Amino acid sequence: MDIAGIKLSEAFKGSGCPVCRAMEKFEEDEIATILYEHVTDPEIRRKFRESLGLCTRHAWRTLEIALGNPLLGPLGVSIIYEDVLNVYLRGERERDECLLCRLVKDKEKILVEALANRLEELLPEYRSSPAILCRRHYEMLVEKLKKEPKLLKKLEEVQREKLMELDSRLKAFIDAYDYRSTRRPTKEEARALEETIEFLKGRPVVMSAGSENRRGRGWLLGLK
Ligand SMILES: [Zn+2]
Ligand SMILES: [Zn+2]
């Protein structure tokens, strides 16, 4: 298996959607790189100016990551946002998308593509793993497998199996709360609610509602 394949199979080890998790990790690394190395980089500065300081989600995420890391702290973010506030005072307005939204979306495409290319080999691992592809990434993957009906059918079976298992765990969790119940929910059952939300809605990494509303869905698809 190549490096991308090994990385993907590692992503299957945890619960939840492996693509969402990988995007989350990528997003965090990108933010840290900007804060470590590019606070005064003219190109990065331009990107922040054009979006007046990223989208709402990524602006707060950037601050959160900076404050959560003692090696970073608030200085770099302050320098960036002081610059943005200044250009706003000089009359600059928001005219481009958030840099991080764009980077994360590009990464998402690469990850789904890599998964589709190696699925034949990775499917047995996916089946036996606790991971469940979220609805969005499952559908993106299905789209890529249209020309491989056999593999697609196998994926559909595995996904259905996983969702049925998730449903029975969530039911067992609900039952454990019944006043007649004499047992406490297991750890796996207690995880089922979050896993169900993650399957239906993904992790909050894909796109901020703010920038989606601002530009409309056409922008998401590159149609503008
Ligand atoms: Zn996902
Ligand atoms: Zn963003």
Side-chain angles (χ1 to χ4, degrees):
M1 207 184 289
D2 60 359
I3 291 177
I6 293 167
K7 277 197 171 167
L8 285 165
S9 99
E10 269 169 18
F12 290 156
K13 288 200 177 109
S15 61
C17 173
V19 178
C20 283
R21 304 279 161 162
M23 285 164 69
E24 223 164 34
K25 174 84 178 60
F26 170 79
E27 181 189 77
E28 216 177 299
D29 291 348
E30 283 299 307
I31 292 173
T33 305
I34 290 173
L35 294 175
Y36 273 117
E37 294 164 27
H38 301 294
V39 167
T40 54
D41 181 326
E43 185 59 18
I44 292 289
R45 197 158 272 210
R46 192 169 62 81
K47 292 283 175 205
F48 272 83
R49 286 175 176 180
E50 283 173 354
S51 58
L52 283 186
L54 307 173
C55 67
T56 305
R57 189 191 121 71
H58 284 129
W60 288 106
R61 188 76 188 110
T62 300
L63 180 61
E64 196 179 27
I65 287 172
L67 297 182
N69 183 338
L71 293 175
L72 290 169
L75 180 62
V77 189
S78 302
I79 291 171
I80 292 173
Y81 278 87
E82 193 275 332
D83 179 67
V84 173
L85 181 60
N86 238 280
V87 296
Y88 177 80
L89 285 170
R90 291 206 302 266
E92 181 116 4
R93 291 297 174 261
E94 193 173 341
R95 52 196 164 81
D96 207 358
E97 70 192 274
C98 160
L99 165 69
L100 281 163
C101 280
R102 192 168 51 72
L103 292 174
V104 171
K105 302 269 320 166
D106 290 349
K107 183 71 181 179
E108 179 180 42
K109 282 196 201 120
I110 292 167
L111 284 164
V112 173
E113 188 88 48
L115 190 52
N117 291 339
R118 294 165 185 83
L119 194 67
E120 184 98 67
E121 200 178 351
L122 288 169
L123 198 59
E125 275 183 63
Y126 179 51
R127 169 173 251 154
S128 58
S129 82
I132 303 177
L133 281 161
C134 73
R135 195 166 54 96
R136 172 187 173 86
H137 293 134
Y138 172 73
E139 281 164 14
M140 283 174 80
L141 188 58
V142 165
E143 198 56 39
K144 293 253 169 249
L145 295 174
K146 277 193 168 150
K147 287 183 187 130
E148 296 178 72
K150 269 193 192 154
L151 185 57
L152 179 57
K153 199 168 177 306
K154 276 193 223 159
L155 173 68
E156 281 169 350
E157 278 168 20
V158 170
Q159 188 73 355
R160 197 173 163 73
E161 213 173 81
K162 283 177 176 284
L163 294 176
M164 304 271 280
E165 188 274 335
L166 178 60
D167 184 45
S168 64
R169 253 191 303 135
L170 188 54
K171 278 190 180 126
F173 180 68
I174 293 166
D175 287 345
Y177 269 90
D178 189 289
Y179 70 96
R180 285 160 300 191
S181 172
T182 52
R183 66 176 193 91
R184 298 167 75 88
T186 66
K187 235 174 40 215
E188 288 72 25
E189 289 164 5
R191 250 190 9 232
L193 174 58
E194 265 189 44
E195 281 182 48
T196 301
I197 294 174
E198 183 163 340
F199 166 70
L200 291 168
K201 296 288 142 194
R203 305 280 302 168
V205 69
V206 174
M207 176 59 57
S208 78
S211 55
E212 189 170 337
N213 292 341
R214 180 164 53 78
R215 292 182 159 259
R217 286 201 69 84
W219 170 72
L220 276 181
L221 305 169
L223 303 170
K224 231 162 200 168

